[in-house]
Amino acid sequence: MAGAYCRFCGRRCFVDRVLPDGSWWHLATCPEGMAHDRKVLGYDHTTAINPHAVNHP
């Protein structure tokens, strides 16, 4: 993912997240990118599983 920039904010605002179906995604943290992720995937970085959290479900 090195070099990948968000098309909404122009920054590297992505974090790794896992959806309930087990698929891994780089989800945006900027407001516009989050809105896009929710529209397309039904989740944003705050509602998907953080695989790096100590006690993720």
Side-chain angles (χ1 to χ4, degrees):
M1 194 172 89
Y5 288 87
C6 176
R7 68 179 175 169
F8 300 101
C9 71
R11 299 163 69 144
R12 293 181 185 154
C13 73
F14 305 106
V15 293
D16 292 331
R17 293 296 185 260
V18 179
L19 298 186
D21 68 2
S23 62
W24 282 68
W25 291 85
H26 300 294
L27 299 182
T29 60
C30 69
E32 297 85 359
M34 289 173 64
H36 173 75
D37 292 340
R38 281 190 302 271
K39 180 179 178 183
V40 172
L41 300 171
Y43 296 89
D44 63 36
H45 81 94
T46 66
T47 57
I49 299 165
N50 179 353
H52 304 293
V54 175
N55 294 315
H56 71 79

